[in-house]
């Protein structure tokens, strides 16, 4: 390794490696890609964190992978690359890394290695399958539905057959897939796992094999959830590393928050008790059942939404659940060592039961401690009660989530590794500050970026030194695209799309000859627009929910002149270059729901510190989604078109400037005649 390191240092700079990779892959040199690669190399050399906004077409994957691979080989330590979506993971592992490592092999002297690592629940558990361990209770509603039970049985049988054929046990390789209920019959969570020291089939464990492969790799590709578990929860699930690259970094805070959120229902407690019933004194299990049923009862009489105070009856039941769960855990006793006198199925059932009561105990305790501080604005956790339909039953649940993950990220991610964050959307309102605050990185007092597009912050107390860089985009946005804000339309209301907006949609679609993606704030609005347009226009109108999203996007891309309407998953998940997409319509500013418990709590906390809670939380959320939605338009260098925002508040409200400043630098107009004329000319 020493000889290899010396040869890399002396003969192969990052610029050399990038040039070799681009040439081998048949690409073209891009200024933004070169600037990004140089900035990443500097960050890895200095240990200073880096945030890079790289527009579509920059080639950002190569720009961070080349210096990351060079660093991994020099330091003889893995580099972790984290993504938010399965699609990007697949792109990296199935396309980018195989081609890149082959291209770099002649220069580096050996082919760099890579591996993908997912959470334990994404892999088949051989022990659960082979031991015949008790599967998860599918739920009372489904126990009495013969069709559901029969369907579940067929799916589990198929999974057992697949277990004999697969070499990875990776759920994503099962095509077609199975519902979560079926998958849970053949998988375990990290808490449920017996562990390598006790599991009799540990040597053949799919999850452990993936971890061993990752441990020997130069680059480990994972997801934000597993990164959060490793860094935030302190569970060492990733191999030792000193560098983390966070791609799709605009999603990091939401994914970390999701991992750190707990949920408790009465039925969760009773299910845990049933797990324990055959392994401990029945009276102890009954206490947990009674407490769980008691929680279900008292939750029917409490308000939904965010709680500033813990209702006394709920507090009593949570205390009873916490204490009963602890008693069950103690009765289950310590885990047996491998080889102890306990058969495989009993060992697995004991571990499953322990995991469930631990989870119930921990969440109940966290819900209780969330109200320890008198002032709600200073509490680290937010608690709320929700309601959902499960079959013919209405279920109420308690949730507890961190008010902010900034401190966790600052100390347990940025404080432990050099971090490179990248996305096409990180600069909001002309600055990195909005997202930097959410990540726990220090920001300067001024919000403007220097002329070169960079930004930086430095907190000497925590040694969190970081730099921001916007490398732009290869697209000439002002020449290739128009931003149209329909100022003349009335502000959107709560009663669905107005007649004026439906007329506007019809006029734009006709001018474009279809070729339109409609991004709506709700499924109700998407369906209303679909029904209205189908009644006026003879072209093909596709609507999310009428088929799988992937199938609909494929149909839309293949049928030039069609229209696709949908909601949130389309805002970030559509990549349709070419003539099939020349118009992106956005019905309204995608503010979060005002009754969202976390949003309300976070806004109030900012207001309490003297800041602008609405701008910091809601407007930032909306700006991020608007930028992602607008980014659907230009996906290739030859693309042309219009982004039409049909919410007049973008032009008339004070916060509109912040929102417009978060969008690509399109040529802007508010004149509907100008836009329709441009679309007609594009159509030819």
């Amino acid at each position: 390794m020493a000889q290899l390191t010396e040869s890399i240092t002396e003969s192969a700079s990052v610029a050399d490696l990038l040039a070799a990779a681009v040439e081998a892959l048949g690409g073209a040199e891009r200024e933004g890609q070169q600037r990004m690669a140089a900035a990443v190399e500097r960050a890895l050399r200095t240990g200073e964190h880096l945030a890079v906004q790289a527009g579509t077409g920059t080639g950002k994957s190569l720009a961070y992978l080349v210096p990351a691979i060079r660093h991994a080989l020099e330091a003889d330590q893995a580099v972790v690359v984290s993504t938010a979506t399965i699609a990007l993971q697949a792109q990296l592992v199935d396309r980018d890394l195989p081609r890149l490592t082959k291209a770099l092999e002649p220069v580096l002297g050996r082919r760099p290695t890579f591996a993908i690592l997912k959470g334990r629940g994404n892999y088949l558990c051989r022990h659960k399958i082979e031991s015949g361990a008790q599967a998860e209770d599918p739920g009372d509603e489904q126990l009495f539905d013969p069709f559901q039970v029969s369907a579940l049985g067929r799916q589990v049988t198929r999974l057992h057959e697949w277990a004999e054929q697969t070499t990875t046990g990776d759920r994503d390789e099962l095509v077609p897939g199975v519902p979560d209920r079926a998958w849970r019959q053949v998988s375990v969570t990290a808490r449920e796992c017996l562990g390598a020291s006790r599991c009799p089939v540990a040597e053949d464990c799919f999850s452990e094999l993936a971890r061993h492969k990752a441990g020997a790799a130069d680059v480990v590709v994972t997801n934000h959830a597993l990164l959060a578990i490793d860094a935030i929860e302190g569970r060492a699930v990733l191999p030792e590393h000193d560098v983390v690259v966070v791609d799709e970094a605009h999603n990091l805070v939401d994914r970390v928050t999701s991992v750190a959120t707990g949920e408790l229902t009465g039925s969760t407690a009773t299910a845990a008790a049933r797990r324990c019933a055959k392994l401990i004194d029945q009276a102890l299990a009954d206490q947990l059942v009674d407490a769980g049923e008691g929680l279900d009862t008292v939750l029917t009489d409490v308000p939904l939404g965010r709680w500033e105070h813990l209702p006394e009856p709920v507090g009593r039941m949570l205390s009873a659940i916490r204490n009963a769960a602890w008693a069950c855990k103690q009765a289950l006793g310590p885990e047996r060592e491998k080889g102890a006198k306990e058969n495989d199925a009993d060992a697995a059932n004991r571990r499953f039961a322990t995991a469930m009561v631990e989870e119930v105990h921990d969440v109940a305790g966290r819900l209780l401690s969330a109200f320890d501080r008198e002032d709600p604005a200073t509490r680290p956790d937010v608690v709320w009660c929700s309601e959902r339909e499960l079959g013919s039953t209405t279920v109420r649940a308690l949730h507890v989530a961190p008010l902010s993950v900034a401190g966790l990220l600052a100390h347990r991610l940025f404080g432990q590794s050099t971090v490179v964050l990248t996305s096409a959307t990180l600069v909001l309102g002309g600055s990195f500050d909005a997202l930097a605050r959410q990540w726990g990185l220090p920001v300067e007092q001024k919000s403007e970026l220097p002329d070169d597009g960079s930004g930086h912050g430095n907190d000497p107390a925590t040694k969190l030194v970081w730099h921001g860089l916007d490398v732009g985009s290869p697209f000439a946005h002002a020449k290739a695209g128009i931003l149209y804000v329909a100022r003349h339309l009335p502000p959107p209301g709560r009663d669905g799309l107005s007649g004026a907006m439906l007329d506007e949609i019809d006029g734009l679609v006709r001018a474009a000859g279809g070729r339109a993606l409609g991004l709506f704030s709700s499924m109700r609005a998407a369906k209303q627009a679909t029904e209205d347009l189908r009644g006026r226009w003879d072209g093909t109108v596709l609507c999310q929910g009428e088929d799988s999203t992937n199938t609909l996007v494929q149909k839309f891309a293949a049928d030039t002149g069609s229209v696709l309407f949908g909601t949130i998953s389309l805002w970030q998940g559509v990549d349709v270059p070419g003539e099939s997409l020349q118009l992106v319509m956005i019905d309204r500013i995608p503010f979060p729901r005002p009754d969202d418990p976390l949003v309300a709590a976070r806004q109030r906390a900012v207001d309490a510190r003297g800041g602008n809670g609405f701008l910091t939380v809601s407007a930032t959320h909306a700006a991020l989604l608007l930028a992602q939605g607008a980014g659907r338009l230009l996906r290739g260098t030859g693309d042309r078109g219009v982004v039409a925002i049909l919410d007049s508040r973008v032009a008339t409200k004070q916060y509109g400037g912040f929102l417009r400043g978060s969008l690509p630098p399109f040529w802007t107009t508010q004149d509907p005649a100008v836009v329709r004329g441009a679309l007609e000319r594009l159509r030819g």
Side-chain angles (χ1 to χ4, degrees):
M1 178 60 73
Q3 292 178 347
L4 178 62
T5 299
E6 183 179 351
S7 66
I8 292 173
T9 304
E10 291 181 353
S11 64
S13 68
V14 164
D16 293 335
L17 293 173
L18 181 61
V22 170
E23 181 180 1
L25 299 178
E29 292 186 358
R30 308 173 196 178
E31 181 188 357
Q33 186 181 63
Q34 293 168 336
R35 291 178 62 203
M36 179 175 174
V40 173
E41 187 276 331
R42 179 188 179 279
L44 303 191
R45 175 167 40 83
T46 63
E48 297 175 354
H49 308 298
L50 175 69
V52 185
Q53 175 163 287
T56 302
T58 301
K60 63 181 170 64
S61 297
L62 277 187
Y64 65 70
L65 285 174
V66 167
I69 288 173
R70 185 179 190 271
H71 174 85
L73 269 60
E74 282 189 333
D76 195 20
Q77 195 165 53
V79 168
V80 171
V81 177
S82 179
T83 77
T85 62
I86 292 174
L88 182 53
Q89 283 183 44
Q91 175 188 316
L92 290 172
V93 173
D94 297 336
R95 191 188 73 179
D96 293 351
L97 279 165
R99 298 166 63 199
L100 176 60
T101 54
K102 182 179 179 180
L104 294 181
E105 183 177 10
V107 186
L108 297 176
R110 76 166 173 89
R111 182 174 296 192
T113 57
F114 59 91
I116 188 168
L117 187 61
K118 304 175 183 179
R120 192 171 294 274
N122 289 280
Y123 300 96
L124 280 172
C125 174
R126 287 192 185 276
H127 182 247
K128 192 167 187 178
I129 291 173
E130 295 176 9
S131 68
Q134 177 186 349
E136 182 181 283
D137 184 349
D140 292 340
E141 282 292 316
Q142 292 158 339
L143 280 175
F144 299 102
D145 185 336
F147 177 78
Q148 291 289 343
V149 173
S150 173
L152 179 63
R154 289 193 300 270
Q155 291 156 356
V156 172
T157 297
R158 178 172 164 240
L159 285 168
H160 279 251
E161 293 171 349
W162 182 64
E164 299 298 320
Q165 305 164 6
T166 178
T167 58
T168 65
D170 186 340
R171 181 180 183 179
D172 292 325
E173 295 182 8
L174 178 66
V175 180
V178 295
D180 289 345
R181 285 181 55 242
W183 184 255
R184 285 194 294 266
Q185 313 307 307
V186 297
S187 65
V188 295
T189 65
R191 284 197 182 209
E192 293 170 339
C193 177
L194 288 173
S197 64
R198 292 175 296 276
C199 180
V201 293
E203 293 183 359
D204 297 319
C205 172
F206 289 124
S207 178
E208 289 300 312
L209 290 172
R211 290 186 66 182
H212 289 321
K213 184 178 180 181
D218 298 312
V219 177
V220 178
V221 179
T222 188
N223 55 62
H224 293 350
L226 198 62
L227 178 68
I229 290 169
D230 183 86
I232 308 305
E233 295 189 2
R235 289 190 245 155
V237 293
L238 296 173
E240 187 175 345
H241 59 275
D242 63 348
V243 169
V244 176
V245 178
V246 181
D247 203 340
E248 300 176 312
H250 59 278
N251 282 320
L252 179 63
V253 168
D254 284 346
R255 300 303 168 91
V256 173
T257 301
S258 179
V259 168
T261 299
E263 178 182 319
L264 182 65
T265 65
S267 59
T268 306
T270 56
R274 286 196 297 271
R275 278 283 196 183
C276 299
K278 295 181 181 179
L279 302 169
I280 63 174
D281 185 338
Q282 183 66 46
L284 291 176
D286 288 344
Q287 290 177 12
L288 186 53
V289 170
D290 292 343
E293 292 176 346
L295 179 64
D296 276 339
T297 299
V298 298
L299 286 182
T300 60
D301 296 324
V302 297
L304 296 173
R306 180 169 56 95
W307 289 357
E308 293 191 1
H309 305 286
L310 180 64
E312 192 271 337
V314 177
R316 285 201 316 270
M317 288 299 101
L318 287 175
S319 295
I321 287 174
R322 180 191 58 188
N323 296 338
W326 179 254
C328 290
K329 181 182 183 303
Q330 294 298 104
L332 286 167
E335 296 176 355
R336 275 61 163 174
E337 293 298 323
K338 184 160 35 175
K341 293 183 179 180
E342 185 175 39
N343 65 47
D344 290 351
D346 287 345
N349 286 329
R350 183 178 298 278
R351 185 63 192 134
F352 297 156
T354 301
M356 290 187 73
V357 295
E358 283 179 345
E359 180 73 14
V360 168
H361 170 270
D362 292 352
V363 177
R366 189 175 164 198
L367 284 161
L368 287 165
S369 63
F371 297 91
D372 286 348
R373 297 184 185 180
E374 283 295 322
D375 183 0
T378 65
R379 293 171 183 163
D381 280 337
V382 180
V383 174
W384 70 95
C385 182
S386 69
E387 186 175 83
R388 63 178 181 265
E389 300 299 321
L390 183 63
S392 60
T393 305
T394 299
V395 176
R396 287 198 165 191
L398 294 179
H399 308 264
V400 56
L403 179 65
S404 169
V405 295
L408 290 172
L409 289 171
H411 290 95
R412 299 185 186 178
L413 179 61
F414 296 102
Q416 303 299 320
S417 303
T418 301
V419 182
V420 175
L421 307 113
T422 187
S423 169
T425 311
L426 295 182
V427 175
L428 301 178
S431 168
F432 286 92
D433 288 2
L435 289 180
R437 289 190 183 94
Q438 294 182 11
W439 297 328
L441 294 175
V443 298
E444 296 178 324
Q445 294 302 312
K446 59 177 182 147
S447 59
E448 296 82 8
L449 292 174
D451 292 340
D452 64 356
S454 64
H456 66 276
N458 183 5
D459 184 351
T462 58
K463 299 181 179 179
L464 293 182
V465 181
W466 69 280
H467 300 271
L469 176 67
D470 183 355
V471 299
S473 167
F475 303 145
H477 285 91
K479 295 181 179 179
I482 296 173
L483 173 64
Y484 166 53
V485 180
R487 185 187 182 115
H488 64 283
L489 290 179
R494 297 182 178 180
D495 299 325
L497 304 180
S498 67
M501 183 178 291
L502 292 171
D503 290 342
E504 188 77 19
I505 292 171
D506 176 59
L508 290 170
V509 168
R510 289 178 184 275
R515 309 166 194 257
L517 175 67
L519 303 176
F520 293 86
S521 56
S522 69
M523 186 55 69
R524 174 189 171 195
K527 290 180 177 178
Q528 181 186 357
T530 298
E531 293 173 4
D532 180 81
L533 189 59
R534 283 174 176 168
R536 305 185 189 214
W537 185 61
D538 293 334
T540 301
V541 183
L542 306 170
C543 185
Q544 191 174 8
E546 296 177 346
D547 205 333
S548 73
T549 299
N550 286 341
T551 299
L552 288 171
V553 172
Q554 290 171 5
K555 289 180 179 178
F556 172 61
D559 183 4
T560 301
S562 63
V563 172
L564 173 59
F565 289 166
T567 184
I568 190 66
S569 63
L570 297 184
W571 286 72
Q572 303 184 62
V574 175
D575 186 5
V576 181
E579 294 184 356
S580 292
L581 177 51
Q582 295 184 335
L583 170 64
V584 175
M585 296 180 292
I586 298 173
D587 71 325
R588 65 191 299 159
I589 301 169
F591 289 124
R593 290 173 55 94
D595 59 353
D596 181 291
L598 265 179
V599 169
R602 287 171 173 172
Q603 287 191 182
R604 186 180 62 178
V606 174
D607 289 338
R609 297 194 299 267
N612 185 326
F614 170 77
L615 191 64
T616 301
V617 180
S618 289
T620 294
H621 173 94
L624 192 57
L625 273 179
L626 274 178
Q628 286 286 312
R632 300 310 97 201
L633 180 66
L634 303 183
R635 309 303 295 177
T637 54
D639 289 353
R640 301 287 186 273
V642 171
V643 173
I645 300 180
L646 309 182
D647 189 332
S648 57
R649 293 175 296 176
V650 173
T652 61
K653 295 294 184 181
Q654 187 172 0
Y655 53 76
F658 173 77
L659 298 178
R660 295 192 303 273
S662 305
L663 298 174
F666 296 117
W667 185 80
T668 304
T669 184
Q670 298 175 7
D671 188 333
V674 169
V675 169
R676 293 183 189 185
L679 288 170
E680 289 170 354
R681 288 191 296 275
L682 274 178
R683 185 180 64 182

